[in-house]
Amino acid sequence: MKYLVMVQGSQVDYEAMVGRGSAGSPAWSKADLKAMFDHMNAINTELNTRGEMLDGQGLAAPSTTRFVTVDGDGKPVVTDGPYAETKEVLAGYWLLECDSLDRVTEIAAQVARCPAPAGSPEYAVVIRPVDETGPTQD
């Protein structure tokens, strides 16, 4: 079964990781960043070794996001965002192929144990099964 494992964050978290902390999201040091990257790289290595990792990426800061809708004539309308006040956004993901929900839950728990500076926000790691067949009415 394929699963999407997602980590969340906010623009203020991205700012904190480059040393610009704020209330509720303290500034990260170079050692903090190294510990986080070492932790995530160890997970990636394990997943690759076990043949479970199909893809995985960290995403750029939310401030680089574009929202695209269409107007009444079907032309694109582009808005920047989300903004710093946005509570949570997708910060990164893994697309995994695992034998069971128990296994992917174990992986999500590893991700959730990622080191961060004291006082940093905690986010749930989200698991979504990939629906390879789409909805049916049967």
Side-chain angles (χ1 to χ4, degrees):
M1 178 98 188
K2 291 180 184 167
Y3 298 92
L4 188 63
V5 176
M6 298 167 280
V7 292
Q8 300 173 48
S10 70
Q11 182 63 38
V12 295
D13 298 325
Y14 281 78
E15 296 292 325
M17 283 190 236
V18 296
R20 294 188 294 268
S22 61
S25 196
W28 289 50
S29 67
K30 287 182 180 180
D32 294 326
L33 276 176
K34 182 177 181 335
M36 185 264 299
F37 283 121
D38 288 349
H39 180 84
M40 293 302 188
N41 287 332
I43 291 171
N44 292 345
T45 298
E46 176 188 346
L47 294 171
N48 276 312
T49 299
R50 293 178 63 122
E52 296 171 319
M53 187 159 161
L54 302 175
D55 189 27
Q57 302 291 327
L59 300 177
S63 61
T64 64
T65 301
R66 297 180 96 189
F67 290 100
V68 180
T69 57
V70 293
D71 65 16
D73 295 325
K75 294 180 182 168
V77 177
V78 178
T79 354
D80 294 332
Y83 303 102
E85 63 274 7
T86 300
K87 295 217 182 248
E88 296 173 3
V89 296
L90 183 62
Y93 69 91
W94 289 265
L95 179 59
L96 306 176
E97 188 155 19
C98 297
D99 291 332
S100 68
L101 182 57
D102 287 341
R103 172 63 183 141
V104 78
T105 300
E106 178 183 307
I107 295 164
Q110 279 182 280
V111 172
R113 288 191 286 274
C114 184
S120 293
E122 293 183 26
Y123 300 101
V125 177
V126 179
I127 299 170
R128 299 273 310 267
V130 174
D131 183 357
E132 295 185 278
T133 60
T136 65
Q137 293 187 357
D138 296 335

